Amino acid sequence: QVQLQQSGPGLVKPSQTLSLTCAISGDSVSSNSAAWNWIRQSPSRGLEWLGRTYYRSKWYNDYAISVKSRITINPDTSKNQFSLQLNSVTPEDTAVYYCARGITVALNWGQGTLVTVSS
Amino acid sequence: EIVLTQSPGTLSLSPGERATLSCRASQSVSSNYLAWYQQKPGQAPRLLIYGASSRATGIPDRFSGSGSGTDFTLTISRLEPEDFAVYYCQQYGSSPQITFGQGTRLEIK
């Protein structure tokens, strides 16, 4: 059974970088048949897919157009986890952030992390 | 970007009744790549339906999905108390640019 465990700070100052990590059990971040996503949810923006990383003989990343200039998703094979970095955050980035496993649909989800952007 | 519009915003029904939720896309969803999720307070969404009509593992058969092109429907044949939640549709036909609908809240009447 795949489980995803998120970690990271719940408060980030404006203009700084939001960083979250998702630890994977029951699967491998290097799996050739999975993809690893970040999705966020806020009252104003609803559910928003942010991006994903996946391995198909080499590493690939896809990012949502809305955050493409500010986002990085990286795998960490030594720890079997993946991370999200979102730069230059504003209060509009305040949301519950989820990691999720799935190529096109989200089959497994992390527990969610409320990240508040405030000084 | 494909915009998904769900209706109604809120649906008030009683246990045992039939629920019909709608999801309309701003353009045709390729290969009917449309999914439905259920979300309860304080929890992550749970996948119910993918490919417009295929139930995910462990989902009861009272949940069914239908539709094609731009119009899709989630039907819950006989509402159980645990079915009252928020439901979201998601399209992945324009993957990787995945988008979600704004949700329908199903509440107890």
mmCIF file of all heavy atoms in Angstrom, chain B residues 10-57:
data_model
loop_
_atom_site.group_PDB
_atom_site.id
_atom_site.type_symbol
_atom_site.label_atom_id
_atom_site.label_comp_id
_atom_site.label_asym_id
_atom_site.label_seq_id
_atom_site.Cartn_x
_atom_site.Cartn_y
_atom_site.Cartn_z
ATOM 1 N N THR B 10 -24.442 23.564 -4.830
ATOM 2 C CA THR B 10 -24.849 22.797 -3.653
ATOM 3 C C THR B 10 -26.078 21.976 -4.002
ATOM 4 O O THR B 10 -26.975 22.461 -4.686
ATOM 5 C CB THR B 10 -25.166 23.724 -2.459
ATOM 6 O OG1 THR B 10 -24.013 24.503 -2.150
ATOM 7 C CG2 THR B 10 -25.561 22.921 -1.229
ATOM 8 N N LEU B 11 -26.101 20.740 -3.535
ATOM 9 C CA LEU B 11 -27.221 19.834 -3.784
ATOM 10 C C LEU B 11 -27.692 19.298 -2.432
ATOM 11 O O LEU B 11 -26.884 18.714 -1.686
ATOM 12 C CB LEU B 11 -26.777 18.691 -4.698
ATOM 13 C CG LEU B 11 -27.802 17.684 -5.176
ATOM 14 C CD1 LEU B 11 -28.929 18.371 -5.924
ATOM 15 C CD2 LEU B 11 -27.124 16.638 -6.057
ATOM 16 N N SER B 12 -28.959 19.532 -2.118
ATOM 17 C CA SER B 12 -29.516 19.089 -0.838
ATOM 18 C C SER B 12 -30.456 17.917 -1.076
ATOM 19 O O SER B 12 -31.495 18.062 -1.724
ATOM 20 C CB SER B 12 -30.280 20.238 -0.167
ATOM 21 O OG SER B 12 -29.431 21.335 0.081
ATOM 22 N N LEU B 13 -30.091 16.759 -0.531
ATOM 23 C CA LEU B 13 -30.874 15.545 -0.714
ATOM 24 C C LEU B 13 -30.918 14.749 0.585
ATOM 25 O O LEU B 13 -30.157 15.015 1.530
ATOM 26 C CB LEU B 13 -30.271 14.688 -1.827
ATOM 27 C CG LEU B 13 -30.335 15.269 -3.251
ATOM 28 C CD1 LEU B 13 -29.483 14.428 -4.199
ATOM 29 C CD2 LEU B 13 -31.759 15.348 -3.750
ATOM 30 N N SER B 14 -31.769 13.748 0.604
ATOM 31 C CA SER B 14 -31.907 12.883 1.779
ATOM 32 C C SER B 14 -31.269 11.528 1.495
ATOM 33 O O SER B 14 -31.198 11.105 0.327
ATOM 34 C CB SER B 14 -33.377 12.701 2.126
ATOM 35 O OG SER B 14 -33.996 13.934 2.409
ATOM 36 N N PRO B 15 -30.814 10.836 2.550
ATOM 37 C CA PRO B 15 -30.304 9.472 2.356
ATOM 38 C C PRO B 15 -31.335 8.615 1.632
ATOM 39 O O PRO B 15 -32.546 8.726 1.878
ATOM 40 C CB PRO B 15 -30.061 8.991 3.785
ATOM 41 C CG PRO B 15 -29.758 10.242 4.543
ATOM 42 C CD PRO B 15 -30.653 11.290 3.938
ATOM 43 N N GLY B 16 -30.851 7.771 0.724
ATOM 44 C CA GLY B 16 -31.730 6.919 -0.062
ATOM 45 C C GLY B 16 -32.118 7.513 -1.402
ATOM 46 O O GLY B 16 -32.547 6.789 -2.308
ATOM 47 N N GLU B 17 -31.975 8.837 -1.538
ATOM 48 C CA GLU B 17 -32.302 9.492 -2.801
ATOM 49 C C GLU B 17 -31.160 9.327 -3.803
ATOM 50 O O GLU B 17 -30.054 8.914 -3.474
ATOM 51 C CB GLU B 17 -32.599 10.974 -2.582
ATOM 52 C CG GLU B 17 -33.906 11.234 -1.841
ATOM 53 C CD GLU B 17 -34.337 12.681 -1.910
ATOM 54 O OE1 GLU B 17 -33.613 13.536 -1.327
ATOM 55 O OE2 GLU B 17 -35.391 12.973 -2.521
ATOM 56 N N ARG B 18 -31.455 9.714 -5.043
ATOM 57 C CA ARG B 18 -30.494 9.639 -6.131
ATOM 58 C C ARG B 18 -29.894 11.021 -6.350
ATOM 59 O O ARG B 18 -30.602 12.021 -6.377
ATOM 60 C CB ARG B 18 -31.224 9.188 -7.401
ATOM 61 C CG ARG B 18 -30.387 9.057 -8.655
ATOM 62 C CD ARG B 18 -31.304 8.729 -9.824
ATOM 63 N NE ARG B 18 -30.610 8.421 -11.049
ATOM 64 C CZ ARG B 18 -30.253 7.196 -11.408
ATOM 65 N NH1 ARG B 18 -30.519 6.159 -10.611
ATOM 66 N NH2 ARG B 18 -29.640 6.984 -12.563
ATOM 67 N N ALA B 19 -28.565 11.064 -6.509
ATOM 68 C CA ALA B 19 -27.865 12.327 -6.744
ATOM 69 C C ALA B 19 -27.292 12.355 -8.153
ATOM 70 O O ALA B 19 -26.682 11.370 -8.601
ATOM 71 C CB ALA B 19 -26.746 12.513 -5.730
ATOM 72 N N THR B 20 -27.476 13.484 -8.827
ATOM 73 C CA THR B 20 -26.928 13.661 -10.167
ATOM 74 C C THR B 20 -26.119 14.953 -10.193
ATOM 75 O O THR B 20 -26.661 16.042 -9.981
ATOM 76 C CB THR B 20 -28.052 13.727 -11.218
ATOM 77 O OG1 THR B 20 -28.836 12.533 -11.136
ATOM 78 C CG2 THR B 20 -27.465 13.851 -12.618
ATOM 79 N N LEU B 21 -24.823 14.832 -10.415
ATOM 80 C CA LEU B 21 -23.898 15.959 -10.425
ATOM 81 C C LEU B 21 -23.371 16.140 -11.842
ATOM 82 O O LEU B 21 -23.029 15.164 -12.513
ATOM 83 C CB LEU B 21 -22.742 15.721 -9.461
ATOM 84 C CG LEU B 21 -23.005 15.798 -7.960
ATOM 85 C CD1 LEU B 21 -23.920 14.687 -7.480
ATOM 86 C CD2 LEU B 21 -21.680 15.761 -7.195
ATOM 87 N N SER B 22 -23.238 17.395 -12.254
ATOM 88 C CA SER B 22 -22.852 17.699 -13.619
ATOM 89 C C SER B 22 -21.490 18.377 -13.681
ATOM 90 O O SER B 22 -21.116 19.151 -12.792
ATOM 91 C CB SER B 22 -23.893 18.604 -14.265
ATOM 92 O OG SER B 22 -23.479 19.036 -15.534
ATOM 93 N N CYS B 23 -20.756 18.099 -14.739
ATOM 94 C CA CYS B 23 -19.461 18.726 -15.012
ATOM 95 C C CYS B 23 -19.413 19.038 -16.503
ATOM 96 O O CYS B 23 -19.526 18.128 -17.331
ATOM 97 C CB CYS B 23 -18.333 17.785 -14.613
ATOM 98 S SG CYS B 23 -16.665 18.384 -14.965
ATOM 99 N N ARG B 24 -19.287 20.316 -16.822
ATOM 100 C CA ARG B 24 -19.256 20.739 -18.223
ATOM 101 C C ARG B 24 -17.910 21.351 -18.543
ATOM 102 O O ARG B 24 -17.418 22.214 -17.802
ATOM 103 C CB ARG B 24 -20.376 21.725 -18.503
ATOM 104 C CG ARG B 24 -20.400 22.268 -19.925
ATOM 105 C CD ARG B 24 -21.722 22.913 -20.251
ATOM 106 N NE ARG B 24 -22.786 21.907 -20.352
ATOM 107 C CZ ARG B 24 -24.060 22.204 -20.593
ATOM 108 N NH1 ARG B 24 -24.441 23.467 -20.737
ATOM 109 N NH2 ARG B 24 -24.959 21.255 -20.672
ATOM 110 N N ALA B 25 -17.313 20.928 -19.652
ATOM 111 C CA ALA B 25 -15.993 21.409 -20.058
ATOM 112 C C ALA B 25 -16.106 22.500 -21.119
ATOM 113 O O ALA B 25 -17.016 22.480 -21.948
ATOM 114 C CB ALA B 25 -15.165 20.249 -20.597
ATOM 115 N N SER B 26 -15.151 23.439 -21.100
ATOM 116 C CA SER B 26 -15.156 24.558 -22.050
ATOM 117 C C SER B 26 -14.780 24.109 -23.466
ATOM 118 O O SER B 26 -15.043 24.820 -24.427
ATOM 119 C CB SER B 26 -14.190 25.643 -21.572
ATOM 120 O OG SER B 26 -12.874 25.122 -21.474
ATOM 121 N N GLN B 27 -14.183 22.942 -23.583
ATOM 122 C CA GLN B 27 -13.903 22.314 -24.876
ATOM 123 C C GLN B 27 -13.880 20.816 -24.682
ATOM 124 O O GLN B 27 -13.790 20.333 -23.555
ATOM 125 C CB GLN B 27 -12.589 22.838 -25.471
ATOM 126 C CG GLN B 27 -11.386 22.680 -24.580
ATOM 127 C CD GLN B 27 -10.157 23.390 -25.133
ATOM 128 O OE1 GLN B 27 -9.498 22.890 -26.041
ATOM 129 N NE2 GLN B 27 -9.864 24.558 -24.603
ATOM 130 N N SER B 28 -13.967 20.093 -25.758
ATOM 131 C CA SER B 28 -14.069 18.644 -25.680
ATOM 132 C C SER B 28 -12.885 18.032 -24.928
ATOM 133 O O SER B 28 -11.725 18.398 -25.166
ATOM 134 C CB SER B 28 -14.155 18.048 -27.089
ATOM 135 O OG SER B 28 -14.342 16.652 -27.026
ATOM 136 N N VAL B 29 -13.193 17.103 -24.038
ATOM 137 C CA VAL B 29 -12.159 16.417 -23.264
ATOM 138 C C VAL B 29 -11.679 15.203 -24.052
ATOM 139 O O VAL B 29 -12.453 14.269 -24.316
ATOM 140 C CB VAL B 29 -12.695 15.997 -21.880
ATOM 141 C CG1 VAL B 29 -11.635 15.211 -21.112
ATOM 142 C CG2 VAL B 29 -13.126 17.232 -21.087
ATOM 143 N N SER B 30 -10.422 15.223 -24.408
ATOM 144 C CA SER B 30 -9.846 14.177 -25.245
ATOM 145 C C SER B 30 -10.000 12.806 -24.616
ATOM 146 O O SER B 30 -9.696 12.606 -23.435
ATOM 147 C CB SER B 30 -8.361 14.499 -25.474
ATOM 148 O OG SER B 30 -7.709 13.447 -26.128
ATOM 149 N N SER B 31 -10.464 11.848 -25.418
ATOM 150 C CA SER B 31 -10.567 10.442 -24.995
ATOM 151 C C SER B 31 -11.359 10.253 -23.704
ATOM 152 O O SER B 31 -11.136 9.277 -22.983
ATOM 153 C CB SER B 31 -9.167 9.831 -24.847
ATOM 154 O OG SER B 31 -8.457 9.915 -26.051
ATOM 155 N N ASN B 32 -12.256 11.191 -23.433
ATOM 156 C CA ASN B 32 -13.055 11.122 -22.194
ATOM 157 C C ASN B 32 -12.176 10.971 -20.957
ATOM 158 O O ASN B 32 -12.499 10.221 -20.022
ATOM 159 C CB ASN B 32 -14.070 9.974 -22.275
ATOM 160 C CG ASN B 32 -15.140 10.238 -23.307
ATOM 161 O OD1 ASN B 32 -15.413 11.394 -23.642
ATOM 162 N ND2 ASN B 32 -15.730 9.186 -23.810
ATOM 163 N N TYR B 33 -11.092 11.703 -20.942
ATOM 164 C CA TYR B 33 -10.186 11.657 -19.793
ATOM 165 C C TYR B 33 -10.713 12.580 -18.695
ATOM 166 O O TYR B 33 -10.185 13.659 -18.438
ATOM 167 C CB TYR B 33 -8.778 12.057 -20.215
ATOM 168 C CG TYR B 33 -8.028 11.000 -20.981
ATOM 169 C CD1 TYR B 33 -6.963 11.361 -21.825
ATOM 170 C CD2 TYR B 33 -8.334 9.653 -20.871
ATOM 171 C CE1 TYR B 33 -6.258 10.405 -22.529
ATOM 172 C CE2 TYR B 33 -7.636 8.689 -21.573
ATOM 173 C CZ TYR B 33 -6.596 9.065 -22.403
ATOM 174 O OH TYR B 33 -5.899 8.119 -23.103
ATOM 175 N N LEU B 34 -11.749 12.084 -18.014
ATOM 176 C CA LEU B 34 -12.439 12.842 -16.997
ATOM 177 C C LEU B 34 -12.551 11.983 -15.745
ATOM 178 O O LEU B 34 -12.929 10.801 -15.822
ATOM 179 C CB LEU B 34 -13.832 13.251 -17.511
ATOM 180 C CG LEU B 34 -14.684 14.295 -16.796
ATOM 181 C CD1 LEU B 34 -15.272 13.800 -15.495
ATOM 182 C CD2 LEU B 34 -13.901 15.594 -16.552
ATOM 183 N N ALA B 35 -12.183 12.558 -14.604
ATOM 184 C CA ALA B 35 -12.223 11.839 -13.338
ATOM 185 C C ALA B 35 -13.099 12.582 -12.334
ATOM 186 O O ALA B 35 -13.340 13.784 -12.470
ATOM 187 C CB ALA B 35 -10.805 11.687 -12.782
ATOM 188 N N TRP B 36 -13.555 11.835 -11.323
ATOM 189 C CA TRP B 36 -14.343 12.404 -10.221
ATOM 190 C C TRP B 36 -13.689 12.022 -8.898
ATOM 191 O O TRP B 36 -13.210 10.896 -8.725
ATOM 192 C CB TRP B 36 -15.768 11.856 -10.238
ATOM 193 C CG TRP B 36 -16.621 12.329 -11.366
ATOM 194 C CD1 TRP B 36 -16.778 11.726 -12.577
ATOM 195 C CD2 TRP B 36 -17.444 13.505 -11.389
ATOM 196 N NE1 TRP B 36 -17.651 12.455 -13.357
ATOM 197 C CE2 TRP B 36 -18.080 13.540 -12.647
ATOM 198 C CE3 TRP B 36 -17.717 14.522 -10.468
ATOM 199 C CZ2 TRP B 36 -18.964 14.559 -13.016
ATOM 200 C CZ3 TRP B 36 -18.593 15.522 -10.835
ATOM 201 C CH2 TRP B 36 -19.209 15.543 -12.089
ATOM 202 N N TYR B 37 -13.693 12.984 -7.967
ATOM 203 C CA TYR B 37 -13.143 12.782 -6.629
ATOM 204 C C TYR B 37 -14.192 13.172 -5.595
ATOM 205 O O TYR B 37 -15.037 14.039 -5.830
ATOM 206 C CB TYR B 37 -11.907 13.661 -6.393
ATOM 207 C CG TYR B 37 -10.740 13.368 -7.286
ATOM 208 C CD1 TYR B 37 -10.667 13.897 -8.565
ATOM 209 C CD2 TYR B 37 -9.687 12.577 -6.855
ATOM 210 C CE1 TYR B 37 -9.595 13.637 -9.396
ATOM 211 C CE2 TYR B 37 -8.595 12.313 -7.675
ATOM 212 C CZ TYR B 37 -8.568 12.848 -8.944
ATOM 213 O OH TYR B 37 -7.498 12.591 -9.756
ATOM 214 N N GLN B 38 -14.073 12.557 -4.427
ATOM 215 C CA GLN B 38 -14.887 12.901 -3.270
ATOM 216 C C GLN B 38 -13.949 13.457 -2.199
ATOM 217 O O GLN B 38 -12.873 12.896 -1.959
ATOM 218 C CB GLN B 38 -15.571 11.641 -2.727
ATOM 219 C CG GLN B 38 -16.374 11.838 -1.455
ATOM 220 C CD GLN B 38 -16.726 10.494 -0.828
ATOM 221 O OE1 GLN B 38 -15.865 9.770 -0.352
ATOM 222 N NE2 GLN B 38 -18.018 10.158 -0.842
ATOM 223 N N GLN B 39 -14.362 14.543 -1.542
ATOM 224 C CA GLN B 39 -13.552 15.094 -0.450
ATOM 225 C C GLN B 39 -14.425 15.372 0.760
ATOM 226 O O GLN B 39 -15.439 16.052 0.660
ATOM 227 C CB GLN B 39 -12.841 16.381 -0.874
ATOM 228 C CG GLN B 39 -11.870 16.892 0.177
ATOM 229 C CD GLN B 39 -11.103 18.113 -0.264
ATOM 230 O OE1 GLN B 39 -11.599 18.943 -1.022
ATOM 231 N NE2 GLN B 39 -9.863 18.247 0.206
ATOM 232 N N LYS B 40 -13.987 14.841 1.897
ATOM 233 C CA LYS B 40 -14.653 15.096 3.166
ATOM 234 C C LYS B 40 -13.822 16.089 3.969
ATOM 235 O O LYS B 40 -12.616 16.217 3.725
ATOM 236 C CB LYS B 40 -14.849 13.789 3.922
ATOM 237 C CG LYS B 40 -15.785 12.833 3.186
ATOM 238 C CD LYS B 40 -15.996 11.536 3.936
ATOM 239 C CE LYS B 40 -16.964 10.635 3.147
ATOM 240 N NZ LYS B 40 -17.172 9.338 3.832
ATOM 241 N N PRO B 41 -14.445 16.797 4.919
ATOM 242 C CA PRO B 41 -13.724 17.835 5.672
ATOM 243 C C PRO B 41 -12.450 17.305 6.317
ATOM 244 O O PRO B 41 -12.445 16.236 6.941
ATOM 245 C CB PRO B 41 -14.748 18.262 6.727
ATOM 246 C CG PRO B 41 -16.070 17.979 6.104
ATOM 247 C CD PRO B 41 -15.875 16.731 5.299
ATOM 248 N N GLY B 42 -11.374 18.051 6.143
ATOM 249 C CA GLY B 42 -10.106 17.695 6.757
ATOM 250 C C GLY B 42 -9.372 16.560 6.089
ATOM 251 O O GLY B 42 -8.335 16.115 6.599
ATOM 252 N N GLN B 43 -9.879 16.070 4.957
ATOM 253 C CA GLN B 43 -9.245 14.951 4.255
ATOM 254 C C GLN B 43 -8.821 15.360 2.849
ATOM 255 O O GLN B 43 -9.348 16.326 2.289
ATOM 256 C CB GLN B 43 -10.205 13.760 4.166
ATOM 257 C CG GLN B 43 -10.617 13.181 5.502
ATOM 258 C CD GLN B 43 -11.518 11.965 5.332
ATOM 259 O OE1 GLN B 43 -11.622 11.384 4.240
ATOM 260 N NE2 GLN B 43 -12.172 11.560 6.416
ATOM 261 N N ALA B 44 -7.895 14.591 2.298
ATOM 262 C CA ALA B 44 -7.538 14.763 0.900
ATOM 263 C C ALA B 44 -8.654 14.193 0.020
ATOM 264 O O ALA B 44 -9.426 13.341 0.465
ATOM 265 C CB ALA B 44 -6.229 14.043 0.605
ATOM 266 N N PRO B 45 -8.745 14.653 -1.199
ATOM 267 C CA PRO B 45 -9.713 14.045 -2.127
ATOM 268 C C PRO B 45 -9.423 12.558 -2.332
ATOM 269 O O PRO B 45 -8.294 12.111 -2.180
ATOM 270 C CB PRO B 45 -9.491 14.839 -3.421
ATOM 271 C CG PRO B 45 -8.955 16.159 -2.974
ATOM 272 C CD PRO B 45 -8.075 15.827 -1.799
ATOM 273 N N ARG B 46 -10.472 11.822 -2.691
ATOM 274 C CA ARG B 46 -10.355 10.387 -2.978
ATOM 275 C C ARG B 46 -10.887 10.137 -4.381
ATOM 276 O O ARG B 46 -11.994 10.584 -4.717
ATOM 277 C CB ARG B 46 -11.150 9.571 -1.957
ATOM 278 C CG ARG B 46 -11.172 8.069 -2.250
ATOM 279 C CD ARG B 46 -11.885 7.278 -1.186
ATOM 280 N NE ARG B 46 -13.328 7.458 -1.169
ATOM 281 C CZ ARG B 46 -14.206 6.496 -0.908
ATOM 282 N NH1 ARG B 46 -13.782 5.270 -0.686
ATOM 283 N NH2 ARG B 46 -15.491 6.763 -0.861
ATOM 284 N N LEU B 47 -10.110 9.419 -5.169
ATOM 285 C CA LEU B 47 -10.525 9.128 -6.544
ATOM 286 C C LEU B 47 -11.710 8.165 -6.554
ATOM 287 O O LEU B 47 -11.659 7.108 -5.933
ATOM 288 C CB LEU B 47 -9.357 8.520 -7.326
ATOM 289 C CG LEU B 47 -9.641 8.108 -8.771
ATOM 290 C CD1 LEU B 47 -9.922 9.342 -9.633
ATOM 291 C CD2 LEU B 47 -8.471 7.305 -9.335
ATOM 292 N N LEU B 48 -12.769 8.534 -7.287
ATOM 293 C CA LEU B 48 -13.941 7.679 -7.439
ATOM 294 C C LEU B 48 -14.016 7.052 -8.832
ATOM 295 O O LEU B 48 -14.219 5.849 -8.980
ATOM 296 C CB LEU B 48 -15.228 8.499 -7.238
ATOM 297 C CG LEU B 48 -15.466 9.193 -5.915
ATOM 298 C CD1 LEU B 48 -16.731 10.044 -6.005
ATOM 299 C CD2 LEU B 48 -15.546 8.186 -4.774
ATOM 300 N N ILE B 49 -13.889 7.895 -9.846
ATOM 301 C CA ILE B 49 -14.132 7.525 -11.238
ATOM 302 C C ILE B 49 -12.993 8.068 -12.108
ATOM 303 O O ILE B 49 -12.536 9.190 -11.893
ATOM 304 C CB ILE B 49 -15.463 8.122 -11.754
ATOM 305 C CG1 ILE B 49 -16.661 7.666 -10.924
ATOM 306 C CG2 ILE B 49 -15.676 7.827 -13.242
ATOM 307 C CD1 ILE B 49 -17.088 6.242 -11.145
ATOM 308 N N TYR B 50 -12.554 7.277 -13.089
ATOM 309 C CA TYR B 50 -11.599 7.761 -14.084
ATOM 310 C C TYR B 50 -12.065 7.291 -15.456
ATOM 311 O O TYR B 50 -12.919 6.405 -15.568
ATOM 312 C CB TYR B 50 -10.176 7.260 -13.791
ATOM 313 C CG TYR B 50 -10.026 5.754 -13.851
ATOM 314 C CD1 TYR B 50 -9.625 5.124 -15.021
ATOM 315 C CD2 TYR B 50 -10.325 4.960 -12.738
ATOM 316 C CE1 TYR B 50 -9.509 3.746 -15.087
ATOM 317 C CE2 TYR B 50 -10.214 3.588 -12.789
ATOM 318 C CZ TYR B 50 -9.814 2.975 -13.964
ATOM 319 O OH TYR B 50 -9.704 1.616 -14.025
ATOM 320 N N GLY B 51 -11.539 7.922 -16.493
ATOM 321 C CA GLY B 51 -11.978 7.573 -17.844
ATOM 322 C C GLY B 51 -13.462 7.773 -18.042
ATOM 323 O O GLY B 51 -14.097 7.055 -18.818
ATOM 324 N N ALA B 52 -14.025 8.719 -17.322
ATOM 325 C CA ALA B 52 -15.436 9.113 -17.369
ATOM 326 C C ALA B 52 -16.383 8.110 -16.713
ATOM 327 O O ALA B 52 -17.413 8.516 -16.144
ATOM 328 C CB ALA B 52 -15.903 9.400 -18.796
ATOM 329 N N SER B 53 -16.060 6.797 -16.765
ATOM 330 C CA SER B 53 -17.039 5.815 -16.303
ATOM 331 C C SER B 53 -16.458 4.613 -15.570
ATOM 332 O O SER B 53 -17.222 3.721 -15.174
ATOM 333 C CB SER B 53 -17.862 5.314 -17.498
ATOM 334 O OG SER B 53 -17.022 4.695 -18.447
ATOM 335 N N SER B 54 -15.163 4.561 -15.384
ATOM 336 C CA SER B 54 -14.541 3.419 -14.703
ATOM 337 C C SER B 54 -14.383 3.717 -13.221
ATOM 338 O O SER B 54 -13.799 4.740 -12.849
ATOM 339 C CB SER B 54 -13.173 3.119 -15.315
ATOM 340 O OG SER B 54 -13.295 2.743 -16.666
ATOM 341 N N ARG B 55 -14.897 2.822 -12.385
ATOM 342 C CA ARG B 55 -14.765 3.009 -10.944
ATOM 343 C C ARG B 55 -13.350 2.654 -10.481
ATOM 344 O O ARG B 55 -12.778 1.642 -10.912
ATOM 345 C CB ARG B 55 -15.782 2.158 -10.183
ATOM 346 C CG ARG B 55 -17.133 2.826 -9.983
ATOM 347 C CD ARG B 55 -18.014 1.991 -9.057
ATOM 348 N NE ARG B 55 -18.236 0.663 -9.598
ATOM 349 C CZ ARG B 55 -19.164 0.371 -10.495
ATOM 350 N NH1 ARG B 55 -19.951 1.329 -10.945
ATOM 351 N NH2 ARG B 55 -19.315 -0.864 -10.933
ATOM 352 N N ALA B 56 -12.832 3.480 -9.574
ATOM 353 C CA ALA B 56 -11.530 3.173 -8.980
ATOM 354 C C ALA B 56 -11.670 2.000 -8.019
ATOM 355 O O ALA B 56 -12.783 1.633 -7.617
ATOM 356 C CB ALA B 56 -10.999 4.406 -8.251
ATOM 357 N N THR B 57 -10.548 1.435 -7.659
ATOM 358 C CA THR B 57 -10.530 0.273 -6.770
ATOM 359 C C THR B 57 -11.236 0.574 -5.454
ATOM 360 O O THR B 57 -10.963 1.590 -4.816
ATOM 361 C CB THR B 57 -9.077 -0.139 -6.483
ATOM 362 O OG1 THR B 57 -8.419 -0.441 -7.720
ATOM 363 C CG2 THR B 57 -9.030 -1.363 -5.580
#
